[in-house]
Amino acid sequence: MQKKNLAAIVASLFIVPVAAHADVTIYGFLSGGIESAKATGNGTASKEYSSRTRVVDDNSRIGFKGWEDLGGGTKAIWQVESSLRNFEQGGTNDAGQSATFGTRNTFIGIDNADFGKILLGNNDSAYKTLSGSSNSALGVDVMVNTTADNFGKSSVNGRGEERVKNSIHWYSPKWSGFQLGASWGMDEARLQDNTSGSSTDAKRLSLGLAYNWGALNLSTGWDRRYDTAVKANTNSIYDGSKNTPADANGSSGKNVSLYNIAGSYKFDFGTYVGGYYEWATYDQVGGGQVKQDDWQIALGQDFGAASIKLAYGQLGALKNVGAGVNGDDFKAKQWILGGTYNLSKSTQLLAYATKITNNAKASANFANNPIYSTGTSLDAGNDPQAFGIGMKVSF
């Protein structure tokens, strides 16, 4: 009898965890390809990236998510999502960053049918989720996750997009096609002000609003990073990412703010049209404010399992610059031609060609698989371009 009881207890230790976590979903995709890439044009050979063939990882990832029913229309939810960081070269990308756990959208939260979702952790801002590249229904990022992806804080479009660490997010249910979201990123570093020496609070607030009615998608967003400024007559943010004293300090009372609007429509015969506009204001460390906008138009056409995509975007001149500075030097533009073919529900072939043209002081780069002409940066005036083919397998 004792042996039977002991066996039952031991067996229960294995059975209970399986039952408790039966709702866990494993998901993700592996996507990679081969491409020809270069970044030349600034006139200094030592600061250019000569033409070469490279194998690329198109933003592959793995995630785990689950939920527990708490009753009354409320669920506890969680997610852990990790970037595979260039699986084709052992988990390290060209910037030397290694694959680690929970690097992508990772959170715990509550989901209520009436109130919506509250997420706590590391997650895309509402600005990005509802009115940017993370809104798949909107579809303005036509070759998302590939080298031809053109939405990101150092790219031509979507420069206000961010995955916010130490953050809390709320997303409403959908009300007659409308959905509202808000994000608050907390500043735990509290850098010193670069002039007064006082503590700063570079919190980040973000709002997004999306509307869907059949094939029509519309959105708008607002994002602000407080106690943050740019260097005089530039769009380079003092963000503490450098080791020099000037870059390691904050700017009390200064803000970086971005606004966007976007829309798209897909016709019954498979034609897609979309547009995106973004406006940024940057407070300068020494006073005054510079401004810059960007825009994009996108087209697509489905042919059964195949789809052809075309996009063109521009980053505008830097406005309100001082005497002797040419705002047009900060302009950039990008064109994208791409296509996909679905071999099955989970396997897709893809191809793309893209080029960014940077003016003398612009250094817009690819959002994925960026090109580094010097160290881990792209020298201003270089023009990144790539042509590639690849394959994506989802699970």
Side-chain angles (χ1 to χ4, degrees):
M1 177 67 72
Q2 290 179 344
K3 290 183 179 180
K4 291 181 179 179
N5 289 340
L6 179 60
I9 293 172
V10 171
S12 70
L13 294 177
F14 293 93
I15 295 172
V16 172
V18 172
H21 298 286
D23 61 327
V24 175
T25 300
I26 301 174
Y27 68 95
F29 63 80
L30 286 174
S31 182
I34 185 169
E35 68 179 24
S36 175
K38 66 178 181 178
T40 59
N42 77 349
T44 304
S46 63
K47 294 183 178 181
E48 294 182 334
Y49 185 93
S50 59
S51 179
R52 68 199 67 180
T53 301
R54 60 179 189 172
V55 174
V56 292
D57 168 22
D58 291 324
N59 221 7
S60 301
R61 67 198 64 170
I62 185 170
F64 306 84
K65 61 183 178 181
W67 59 274
E68 180 184 4
D69 191 350
L70 302 179
T74 301
K75 296 185 291 186
I77 57 176
W78 62 271
Q79 178 175 296
V80 179
E81 187 174 291
S82 304
S83 169
L84 296 180
R85 286 287 191 196
N86 292 46
F87 73 90
E88 91 286 349
Q89 58 180 37
T92 303
N93 64 14
D94 292 342
Q97 299 167 318
S98 299
T100 55
F101 205 59
T103 50
R104 295 184 56 82
N105 290 343
T106 299
F107 56 80
I108 56 172
I110 296 292
D111 185 0
N112 179 270
D114 298 320
F115 180 77
K117 297 179 182 179
I118 297 178
L119 312 177
L120 183 69
N122 176 37
N123 200 72
D124 288 345
S125 69
Y127 184 93
K128 178 180 179 180
T129 299
L130 295 181
S131 194
S133 62
S134 288
N135 186 339
S136 58
L138 188 62
V140 289
D141 193 349
V142 294
M143 293 302 292
V144 64
N145 295 317
T146 70
T147 302
D149 187 329
N150 61 319
F151 276 68
K153 60 185 178 181
S154 298
S155 301
V156 172
N157 300 118
R159 294 168 71 84
E161 297 196 354
E162 187 70 70
R163 179 168 296 118
V164 188
K165 301 176 182 177
N166 305 317
S167 58
I168 185 168
H169 310 256
W170 169 71
Y171 291 98
S172 75
K174 290 186 177 180
W175 300 313
S176 301
F178 289 92
Q179 186 176 25
L180 180 65
S183 303
W184 174 26
M186 296 140 202
D187 178 17
E188 298 184 6
R190 296 298 181 98
L191 300 175
Q192 286 188 338
D193 182 84
N194 51 36
T195 55
S196 68
S198 62
S199 178
T200 62
D201 183 9
K203 59 182 176 287
R204 190 165 193 147
L205 298 182
S206 182
L207 299 174
L209 175 64
Y211 174 72
N212 169 257
W213 183 43
L216 175 66
N217 291 280
L218 302 171
S219 68
T220 185
W222 170 85
D223 184 276
R224 173 170 290 175
R225 186 171 177 179
Y226 292 81
D227 284 2
T228 302
V230 297
K231 303 173 185 179
N233 297 313
T234 74
N235 55 9
S236 299
I237 296 174
Y238 282 82
D239 62 358
S241 64
K242 306 291 192 302
N243 294 321
T244 59
D247 280 330
N249 293 337
S251 301
S252 295
K254 307 290 186 178
N255 303 313
V256 171
S257 303
L258 295 105
Y259 317 79
N260 71 12
I261 56 172
S264 66
Y265 188 85
K266 191 167 186 177
F267 296 91
D268 292 339
F269 44 86
T271 299
Y272 162 89
V273 293
Y276 180 90
Y277 179 78
E278 183 177 51
W279 176 260
T281 61
Y282 303 101
D283 290 344
Q284 299 178 92
V285 171
Q289 186 182 79
V290 292
K291 302 177 180 181
Q292 191 173 32
D293 63 357
D294 63 83
W295 59 268
Q296 181 203 256
I297 54 174
L299 300 171
Q301 179 65 53
D302 293 339
F303 301 94
S307 181
I308 302 296
K309 307 166 190 289
L310 177 67
Y312 178 79
Q314 283 194 2
L315 177 64
L318 194 64
K319 301 177 176 65
N320 300 341
V321 293
V325 179
N326 186 354
D328 286 346
D329 285 344
F330 295 87
K331 284 184 175 182
K333 57 187 177 182
Q334 181 176 10
W335 61 264
I336 301 164
L337 175 63
T340 59
Y341 183 82
N342 296 323
L343 295 174
S344 69
K345 290 183 178 180
S346 59
T347 302
Q348 182 182 77
L349 300 179
L350 55 93
Y352 54 84
T354 183
K355 181 179 180 180
I356 298 174
T357 302
N358 283 308
N359 285 12
K361 293 184 179 180
S363 54
N365 210 338
F366 300 134
N368 293 306
N369 305 313
I371 290 178
Y372 304 118
S373 52
T374 302
T376 56
S377 64
L378 176 71
D379 289 278
N382 279 328
D383 302 333
Q385 53 188 296
F387 165 78
I389 56 174
M391 179 178 178
K392 176 182 178 180
V393 179
S394 302
F395 55 87

